[in-house]
Structure formats: structure tokens, C-alpha cells
Amino acid sequence: MRLLLLLILGGLMHAAGTFAPQPGVGSGAAGTALACGYLLLSGFFLGSLFRQVGLPKLTGYIVLGIVAGPQVLGLLSPPMVANLQIFNGAATALIALTAGVELDLRSIRPLMRSILALIGGAMLGTAGLLTAAVYFWRDLLPFLHELTPEQALAMALVLGVTMSAGSPAVVVALRSEMEADGPLTRTVLGVVVMADLVVILLFAVVSSAAKATLGGNADALGTAATLAWELLGSIGSGLLVGGVLAIFLRFVRQGTGLFVVTVAFVVAEVGMRIDFDPLIVALAAGMLVRNTTALGDRLQEAIEGASLPVYVAFFAVTGANIHLRELLIIGIPAALFVTVRAGGFLGLGWLAARVAGAPEVVRRYAGFGLLPQAGLALALALLFVRTFPHFGGEASALVLGAVAINEMLAPVLYRFALVRSGEAGRGQGAAARIPVGANAPAAVPENLVSS
Amino acid sequence: MRRFAQPSGWRTPRRWSVWRAVAVVIWFGLAAWPGQSAQESPVPSGPAGAPATIESPPVLKPQTPPEQMPLPLSLEPPPPPEPAFDHRPLESAAEVIKAVLGLTALFALAYLGGHPRVRKLERRAGISHVVTAGLPFVILGAVAHLPSVGILSDSVLWQIRPLLPLGLGWIGFTVGFRFDARLVESLAPGMAAAGLLSAALPAATIMASCGLALLATEGPWQNAAFLRDALILGTAGAMTAHSAPRLLEARGAGEIAVDRVWSIVQVEQLAGVVGLMLTAAYFRPQGASVAWQLPGTAWLFITLGMGTTMGGVLYLTLGKLKAGPEFSLLTLGSVAFIAGMASFLRLSPLVVCFIAAVILANLPGHSQAQIRAAMMTLERPIYLLFLLIAGSIWKLGAWQGWMLMGLFLLARLAGKRLAVSVRRRGREWNLRLEERRILVFSPMGALSIAIVISAQDLYFGPTVSWMLGAVIGGAILTEVIVQLTLRRQTGPATGGQEGGPDEETAEAVI
């Protein structure tokens, strides 16, 4: 039945597409509403089908976006996809809010040693590995050919940091979908959330350094001030937002889901304009509610009840934005770097967890949780283009290719790890939870590296 | 839906006289409807639900030479496209932040306007939501549009335009869900004809008066746009708000009287939706802006077929679901898909969603009540958002809008009065004084506003703004007249019953 409904919906979309006199037309208001409805309905059905065959629902959403998107069937025109990107910011904020609410410091404290070890060992180590790989395989990358070894090393550093970015969204979504709980789930969540912050900081530093190496003006003081504004400002406003949420949850109660989604939109849209990171803002808000009030569970329920449409649209749009053409062109080097990244996370993750004395399940499977990648890497890739206009486009294509591969494969692998670890299904009352998650797209303000 | 007891002891109606009147009106209507559509300016992408003055269509290369195009009704060249409107993206961070925060505040107000406590207050005061919340929201919309405020500027309206078909679809769903097939069975003899007459005569008087005014102001008679606009105004003015039977009830009328008025209101609303469906099917853009060049009757069948198909798809989709996040996902997705599809094909989202909802509501299943409850939660906030948008695009300086408002108001009152007189003369129904009074001084409901907002989604041109002003201003003025008249003649309301089956619904007081 679900397959039949999928076909009917696809057929209707195709029929509607023939109404427009020119291919690709349909960017108007109606086109946006139509595309949104189509993605929500079809995403639900395809996600259910994927779950039936043992794959994550969110992979179903992403596959729907790829197949229905402009590059394959063309049921969604490029303007439709562009208009639907309004969901990105809100989804990022909601995902970070979920992550924040799940970060109960009392329960995480015993895992902190493992978390720090994994960030220091696996994440930074993999960034180093990727840097080395880019540097030594620079013959495969035409845009590095004309650079001196020092310049190539600087660029390799930027690319290494960018490609090491993870995806809290996928991790949060899979945790909800699989109703998982336990040391592995909590450790991975802590790592990916904190690692995102580390990547943002590192990217700002190494891109400034690279710019200086390439002869540009690198303003170290300006970069530091920008970073301070972003981090401290985001945390401060996050605490404010958390306070507002707590007051609403305590005194109003009705319509909490709608209120939370609205707050997410506001945080995303306003935050980006004043160079606050929506990810950090929402994370801080969620952590405040969880760790200083007794309203965390209520907030979690509200998010789970209202955020599913935002998530489905977000992942499907992420899929529709996957650059298949770039993947075809730069597929071999991208696949090589994906392999290096996976090897780094799995190998170094095991090593770091072992050194930290983490439980066996964390040692064996934590690396799988670091594999997913999406939004942050995409945002950094876009920054790449602006920061290094001479060859940023080609470098960005490389990152986009790697992200595309990771988007398709990593959720499946992490789901496998959750099942094998025995933590799937252990979550309390998570039966109706959100089955989604991807990444934090515009998590990095543009001026972070523009200075 | 509240079901009123079937009235008993009525006289057998002399149907022929009523039907004759209805037939005359229909004949006039059909004679006026062309086989071809009114000509529209080319639009860039099929349906773009932008507010009338916001669309700035790029010129598309026609696929068919003009001489081979089907002859449109208009014998004159189409009017030039609207002047380019300022819909540049909001670039300044301050602009965006102001707009986001302002919109959030307005949306929050709209949400609060639909709060049960506000509804309770309205019921106690015995006044309609059109006055309590409607007028302030229209004013808020106008203020938010001021350049110095800039919250609902043209650029912002351009950005949020996808909400228009979505909101209209939502309203169509909500109204459609109230049309239980049992309503038809429970109608007293002659009530269908009474409802039709009560809708048709005001529609005819509005169409005649406003049509003439539009003809005088819009330009050459060959251009059928004036006829289209008159039809929309007539359709919007034909209906009575659901608050009418409640007003009657609050003034101590008996159950039979309330039921009769309730039935008339239901039939009027059905007639209004049908009128909108016909208008949207027969008055369509032609030429290079659309690929499907079909006659109006074909679009009528497409509307019916699409609504029915989507109703079936929804039945399969929502039938087995229980409450939870997935239910919200599918409900929202269904409305967005159907409304988007309808608007994409330049049909009315309100009508197509109405048909789908009627199909869904009348098929066996357990999820209907749940869907209806979900729909009604946001019904009033959506109406209030519509009023905000209407207020923001209402050209207060356009004298044509004010003139249309006056004509609309007077013609509607005259039409309603005529309908009651015809009924009395026919002696078909034993209408009491208070019933006649409430049918003459009948408040306008939110469906009327949704219908004129539909014009915003379907058509372009300066008249859309005039019509908005006419209907919304007319609704507010009508409500004021209703309240003044009824209070003067029968004293203040004693307060409606609380806690009835549909007291909790938004529609009950709209």
C-alpha cells in the first residue's frame, strides 16, 4: 500500500510539473507548498519502507530527496528546493535543542573522560590524518598543483578540519528513531556535539592561517574577537532562550510544540543574522532547561511532538541538495578521503576509548557514531568558496562529494552499530520519538573566516 | 458538528416558485459565464500565490503564436502586467530581524486570538470574532505594512506567500469536514431551496451593483475581469456566519427556529464553495503562462476529480494512524500537498481541500474526529493571519475600494431582505420575526473572508485589493449593524449555551 501511495504521489507531482510551460518552473508559493506536502507524505512512506528492510528512516528521507530532486527525476525543481531550505535553520536549532535537553550533566559526567579522549584522539587525530592525506595525495587535486608546499599544507589543514566535521543531527535522530540509550549513545552524543564546536573554532584558526600563507590579510585579533562574540554571545542568548522556554513550559503549557518550533525558527533566522551560532544557542537553551529545571522531559516531549515535519523536510531537502554531478567528477578522491576519515574514526576511536578506559561497547562502536556528516561540513564548504575564491569552488566540490557519500552510508552504519551494541530499544518512552536528524547546516557564521 | 433537531409541522412548500427564482438566477449566471476564461496577465510559474500586487511576472516567450491562441473572452488586448513590485530579498540584517520578530509577535497574537478564553469572552459579549479580533488584526496588518514599521512590507509578504495556499487549504479542510452526508438527509423539506435562495439573491444583487461599478472603474466591458470580480464578491457576500443561529439562540429563540437558520447557513456555505469552484474553473489564465489549455468545463471536472482522488488518497493515508507526531506530519503534509497542487494548477485550494475533506469525512473510519480536532486547532489563527495580510495589502487610499464596500454592504442587505420577502410571499415557511431579522441582518463569516482571500491566490490586478477591502470592511460594518439592530430591538444577548458539541470549535463563533 505504501509503495502504491508513493507511486500515486509521484505521478501527481509529475502531472503537476507538466502544467508549467517550461521545465523547472514552479518556484512560486504554490510550488513551495506542493513540494513541502509531497516531501512530507512521501518521506513518511519511504521512511517506513526503509525501516521495514532494516535501514534508518532518515536514509529514506535523504534518498527521497535525491531521487525526487532536480538531479534525478526532477519532480522538485531547483527553485522549490531552494525555497524549502527555510527548514534548515529551524531543523538545526531543534536538533541542537534536542541534544541539549538530552545532555544531562549528571549522567554524562562519568563519561566525560571518554568524551574528551574521543574528541582529542579520534576527532583531532582524524583531522590530522585527513590533512596528511590531502597533502600527500595533492597530485589528485588539480587545485593544489600551483601552490607551494607550505601553501598546500595550509590548505590541506583547512580541508582536513572541514572533512572531519560530524553530524549531531544524524546522531540525535538515530537515537530517537532507534529508541537507543546507554553508554555508547550518550558518549557519542556528547562527542559529536562538542566536536562541532571544536571544528568551528579550528576552522576559524586554520583558515585565517591559510589566508595569511596565501598572501591575504589575516587579522588574528579580529578573528579572536569574532569567535568570542559568536561563542559567548551564542551561549548568553541561549541561556536567555532557555529561560523563556522554561517560563512558557511552567506557566502556559498549551501549544508548547508550536511554541518550540517558533522559537527554533526565530533562533535560526535571527541568530544567523547577528553571527550567533543557532546550534550553540539552542544547545545552551536545552542544557539550561534540562540541568536547572524539572521541565526537561516536558520540553523533550514537546520537541518530539512537533518537530517531525521539520525534520523530514530538512533531510529530504538535504538529499535533494546532494551534488551528484560533483560526486561523479571528483568521486575517486572523495571516496579515498571518506575511507581515510572512516578509518581514522574507527581506528583512533577504538584507541582513544581504550586509553580512556571506556566500556567495551564504546570502544567497539563509538567510531561509527562519528561517521555521519552533513550540514556543518556543507556550511564550511560554502565558506571555503568565499574565503578562497581562486580555487575554493573545486575544494568545495571535493568536500561536497565526501559529504554526499557519508550522508548515504554513515546513518546505515551507525544504525548497525546501535543494534549490535544492544542499546537500540533501551530508551525510555521513546516509542513515538522523532525518526530523523541530519546536520547543522549554517552553523558557522560567514564572517568567522572572512576577516 | 452540532446537529439540530429536525423542524416539524412545516407547510409543504410551493417549490415551483422558489425553483423558478433560483433557475432565473442560475440562468443569468450561466449566460454570463463564458466558455473561455477571462484573460490574465501572464504569470511566471503557474500559480504563485502572491498577494495581488506583489506578483511581477516576467515575460515568457509564448509557445503558440497569438493568432493561433484560442479566442479569449476579452476582445481587447490584455491589460499590461502589473508594474514591477518591490520584492527584493531582505538584505539588511536589521530588516530581517525586525521582520522575523514582528511576524512572530503577530503570529503569537493570532494564536492568542483563537484561545478558548477569548472565544468565551466573545460568547459572553454576544459578538462575533470578526469584530473582536478581526478589526484589530486588519488594523494591525495595515500598521505593520507602513514603511516606517516594515514588518509586513512587500518583501516580507513576498517571502511568506506560501502560507496563503496552505491556509486556504486548511480552511477548506475544516469547512469540508463539517459537511456530513447526514446533513442532507436531515434537512427539512424546502430548506435546501431556502438556503439556495438566501444565497442566490444577495449574490445576484451584489453582482449586479458591484459588477456595474467594477465595469465603470475597470475598463472595457469586453474584458471579463469585472464579471469575475463581481462573481467573487457575490459569492463572498452570499453566506451567513455560523454565529447567526447562535445569536438567535442567545436571544431566546426556540430550537426549531435555530435549527432552520442553521440549515440555511449550511446550504449557503455549500453554495458559496460551489460558486468559488465555478469561478476558479471558468476564469483562468490563458496563453503562455500555462501549458494545459483546457476549456472551463474540463477544469471543473479536474477540480472535482482532484478533490475526490485526494480524498481517497487521504483516506488510505490517514485511516489507520493514531495520534502522535506522525499524525501531525501526515495531516500537515496532506493539506500542503492538496492545497499546493490546487494552487499550482490555479484552482482554488479552498475548494479542492473542501471536496477532499467531504469525501474523507463521509467514508467509514475512526480518524475523522481526530483530524477534525487537529484542523480546528489552527482554524482561527489562520483566519486572523488572513486578516493581517488583508490589512497589509488593503489600499486605503483607493476610493474604488471604499465605493465597493458601500455598494457591497447595501446590496447584500437588500439581497437578504429580498430573499426573506420572497420566502414570506411564497408562504412556504413560517418564519418568525426574529428568524427573518437574523436572516436579513446576517453577519458575515470567516468563509466569506477566505473566499475573497482566494482571489488573492488566483488572480492579479488592482481590483483584488479593492475586493478585499470591500468584503472585510463590509463584514466588519455588517457585524456592527447586526449588533446595533439586534440589541436595540431585543436587548442584549443573554449569552449562548456553553459547552455544546461545537461550542469548542472555532467556527461556532466566527
Side-chain angles (χ1 to χ4, degrees):
Chain A
M1 179 59 76
R2 285 170 181 164
L3 195 58
L4 178 67
L5 286 168
L6 267 175
L7 291 174
I8 291 174
L9 291 170
L12 288 169
M13 279 297 283
H14 175 71
T18 63
F19 180 75
Q22 294 169 351
V25 174
S27 59
T32 306
L34 176 64
C36 177
Y38 172 72
L39 288 182
L40 293 184
L41 293 180
S42 299
F44 172 76
F45 294 129
L46 196 62
S48 305
L49 285 176
F50 267 61
R51 187 158 196 187
Q52 274 183 355
V53 297
L55 292 170
K57 282 184 177 180
L58 73 90
T59 306
Y61 308 149
I62 294 172
V63 168
L64 171 71
I66 296 172
V67 174
Q71 299 186 49
V72 182
L73 292 181
L75 298 179
L76 307 174
S77 66
M80 284 178 183
V81 176
N83 287 344
L84 286 176
Q85 299 208 17
I86 190 169
F87 286 106
N88 289 2
T92 303
L94 281 173
I95 286 161
L97 201 57
T98 310
V101 173
E102 301 215 4
L103 281 178
D104 186 349
L105 293 178
R106 278 165 299 184
S107 62
I108 286 234
R109 196 168 293 133
L111 303 169
M112 197 51 83
R113 187 178 155 87
S114 307
I115 292 172
L116 292 176
L118 280 163
I119 291 172
M123 193 252 140
L124 292 179
T126 303
L129 271 180
L130 285 165
T131 302
V134 171
Y135 182 75
F136 289 113
W137 289 338
R138 62 182 185 274
D139 289 345
L140 292 173
L141 306 171
F143 59 88
L144 295 180
H145 286 176
E146 293 179 3
L147 301 183
T148 64
E150 292 77 21
Q151 290 171 332
L153 183 61
M155 290 314 301
L157 255 173
V158 182
L159 279 171
V161 169
T162 305
M163 284 195 285
S164 66
S167 172
V170 172
V171 170
V172 170
L174 275 172
R175 179 186 174 174
S176 298
E177 181 181 330
M178 303 299 296
E179 299 165 21
D181 199 9
L184 169 67
T185 314
R186 293 179 185 199
T187 305
V188 168
L189 182 65
V191 171
V192 292
V193 167
M194 291 169 72
D196 250 19
L197 306 182
V198 174
V199 167
I200 292 170
L201 289 172
L202 274 181
F203 185 86
V205 173
V206 297
S207 63
S208 291
K211 215 171 171 184
T213 315
L214 290 167
N217 295 321
D219 178 7
L221 205 62
T223 304
T226 306
L227 274 175
W229 166 257
E230 184 201 351
L231 288 178
L232 299 179
S234 299
I235 292 170
S237 57
L239 296 178
L240 189 68
V241 171
V244 172
L245 280 172
I247 290 170
F248 188 92
L249 287 166
R250 176 146 190 191
F251 295 107
V252 182
R253 298 185 182 184
Q254 281 186 332
T256 313
L258 199 58
F259 183 75
V260 168
V261 173
T262 308
V263 167
F265 267 106
V266 172
V267 163
E269 295 302 320
V270 174
M272 278 188 287
R273 264 79 188 188
I274 52 175
D275 298 333
F276 285 172
D277 186 345
L279 187 87
I280 302 175
V281 175
L283 190 70
M287 285 182 72
L288 180 86
V289 174
R290 165 61 71 191
N291 293 288
T292 62
T293 72
L295 302 164
D297 288 340
R298 204 181 291 168
L299 178 59
Q300 199 163 359
E301 280 172 23
I303 299 170
E304 287 164 1
S307 57
L308 184 56
V310 179
Y311 288 151
V312 174
F314 169 56
F315 282 106
V317 171
T318 303
N321 277 321
I322 286 181
H323 298 68
L324 293 179
R325 192 168 297 165
E326 276 86 347
L327 192 58
L328 289 175
I329 295 167
I330 204 140
I332 292 173
L336 274 176
F337 293 123
V338 167
T339 310
V340 170
R341 182 176 179 272
F345 279 141
L346 295 178
L348 295 173
W350 176 83
L351 193 63
R354 187 183 170 84
V355 169
E360 178 63 21
V361 71
V362 176
R363 289 184 210 174
R364 292 180 68 174
Y365 298 113
F368 289 95
L370 307 182
L371 294 179
Q373 188 180 37
L376 178 59
L378 292 177
L380 295 179
L382 293 179
L383 279 184
F384 219 110
V385 179
R386 299 193 183 185
T387 314
F388 307 104
H390 294 304
F391 50 82
E394 294 169 70
S396 171
L398 175 71
V399 177
L400 295 178
V403 170
I405 296 171
N406 281 322
E407 270 182 346
M408 288 185 275
L409 298 180
V412 180
L413 293 172
Y414 186 45
R415 184 184 191 278
F416 161 80
L418 286 175
V419 173
R420 290 298 299 270
S421 69
E423 293 191 1
R426 276 204 216 159
Q428 286 183 347
R433 282 185 182 175
I434 42 174
V436 271
N439 214 333
V444 181
E446 289 174 11
N447 69 348
L448 205 68
V449 289
S450 61
S451 59
Chain B
M1 180 176 64
R2 179 167 182 172
R3 299 182 56 76
F4 292 91
Q6 177 161 340
S8 57
W10 291 8
R11 298 176 188 178
T12 307
R14 290 195 317 190
R15 289 167 190 253
W16 67 270
S17 59
V18 176
W19 287 114
R20 190 174 55 183
V22 173
V24 168
V25 172
I26 292 174
W27 183 84
F28 268 112
L30 288 178
W33 263 316
Q36 300 291 338
S37 310
Q39 205 159 37
E40 288 282 326
S41 309
V43 291
S45 54
T53 50
I54 291 176
E55 204 70 32
S56 151
V59 178
L60 290 178
K61 197 176 174 182
Q63 293 176 321
T64 313
E67 63 274 10
Q68 293 175 21
M69 298 282 283
L71 185 65
L73 181 73
S74 168
L75 300 176
E76 293 290 321
E82 286 297 299
F85 198 85
D86 176 22
H87 54 79
R88 68 187 167 80
L90 295 171
E91 286 172 358
S92 135
E95 264 186 314
V96 176
I97 292 168
K98 186 170 66 174
V100 169
L101 294 179
L103 280 177
T104 307
L106 291 176
F107 287 3
L109 280 176
Y111 186 78
L112 288 176
H115 197 275
R117 285 185 189 173
V118 177
R119 298 211 298 263
K120 206 175 273 182
L121 275 175
E122 289 169 357
R123 277 199 296 272
R124 277 190 196 152
I127 54 174
S128 148
H129 142 89
V130 170
V131 167
T132 53
L135 183 57
F137 271 81
V138 172
I139 294 171
L140 265 180
V143 171
H145 185 67
L146 292 173
S148 53
V149 179
I151 292 173
L152 274 176
S153 64
D154 296 334
S155 306
V156 174
L157 286 170
W158 176 259
Q159 301 286 332
I160 64 168
R161 69 201 190 284
L163 293 177
L164 210 55
L166 193 62
L168 287 169
W170 198 279
I171 298 300
F173 249 96
T174 315
V175 177
F177 255 104
R178 295 197 180 99
F179 277 88
D180 195 316
R182 286 168 294 182
L183 169 76
V184 180
E185 297 163 10
S186 68
L187 279 178
M191 289 317 286
L196 282 177
L197 194 66
S198 182
L201 286 180
T205 51
I206 292 170
M207 281 167 56
S209 57
C210 294
L212 284 173
L214 285 165
L215 177 62
T217 51
E218 271 188 58
W221 66 271
Q222 294 94 333
N223 189 336
F226 83 93
L227 185 57
R228 175 201 71 196
D229 295 344
L231 278 167
I232 290 171
L233 284 173
T235 306
M239 288 171 294
T240 302
H242 268 160
S243 60
R246 204 157 304 286
L247 278 173
L248 205 58
E249 190 178 28
R251 278 156 178 80
E255 196 176 347
I256 292 175
V258 173
D259 283 351
R260 273 190 290 205
V261 173
W262 172 263
S263 303
I264 288 173
V265 168
Q266 291 285 83
V267 175
E268 281 178 4
Q269 296 212 335
L270 186 61
V273 173
V274 171
L276 183 63
M277 178 173 70
L278 291 170
T279 310
Y282 283 95
F283 289 87
R284 302 182 51 78
Q286 299 280 326
S289 62
V290 290
W292 298 1
Q293 303 292 344
L294 301 172
T297 308
W299 284 110
L300 199 60
F301 281 106
I302 288 175
T303 307
L304 290 169
M306 201 170 115
T308 310
T309 306
M310 292 316 301
V313 171
L314 281 189
Y315 183 68
L316 295 175
T317 305
L318 296 169
K320 293 176 185 172
L321 268 181
K322 293 178 181 172
E326 292 182 343
F327 186 83
S328 312
L329 168 80
L330 289 179
T331 308
L332 182 64
S334 302
V335 176
F337 185 72
I338 302 174
M341 177 79 78
S343 187
F344 198 87
L345 300 181
R346 294 189 71 78
L347 298 169
S348 166
L350 191 150
V351 172
V352 177
C353 287
F354 172 86
I355 296 169
V358 168
I359 299 286
L360 187 58
N362 288 286
L363 287 173
H366 304 292
S367 57
Q368 278 84 345
Q370 195 183 342
I371 301 170
R372 187 184 299 135
M375 290 288 157
M376 286 174 178
T377 309
L378 286 184
E379 188 187 11
R380 278 177 58 129
I382 290 172
Y383 278 125
L384 296 177
L385 288 180
F386 280 173
L387 293 173
L388 272 175
I389 292 173
S392 67
I393 56 179
W394 189 350
K395 302 274 185 262
L396 293 171
W399 60 268
Q400 297 95 329
W402 295 104
M403 178 196 67
L404 269 185
M405 187 200 294
L407 280 175
F408 178 85
L409 189 64
L410 294 174
R412 184 171 182 272
L413 278 174
K416 291 284 180 190
R417 179 69 192 254
L418 188 62
V420 169
S421 302
V422 169
R423 281 197 294 255
R424 281 189 74 196
R425 204 170 302 139
R427 304 172 73 80
E428 285 122 358
W429 304 288
N430 187 18
L431 292 177
R432 293 172 189 154
L433 177 65
E434 67 266 27
E435 289 174 71
R436 293 200 301 271
R437 191 173 287 149
I438 199 71
L439 286 173
V440 173
F441 298 104
S442 55
M444 284 171 62
L447 188 57
S448 302
I449 293 167
I451 282 178
V452 79
I453 292 279
S454 282
Q456 187 78 4
D457 185 50
L458 291 168
Y459 307 114
F460 309 110
T463 54
V464 176
S465 166
W466 306 345
M467 289 195 293
L468 269 176
V471 173
I472 292 171
I476 292 168
L477 284 178
T478 304
E479 182 67 31
V480 172
I481 291 171
V482 169
Q483 294 298 333
L484 289 177
T485 309
L486 293 180
R487 279 165 198 264
R488 198 180 58 196
Q489 292 174 348
T490 61
T494 55
Q497 289 177 2
E498 299 268 342
D502 73 338
E503 281 287 342
E504 295 307 314
T505 70
E507 177 81 7
V509 289
I510 289 175

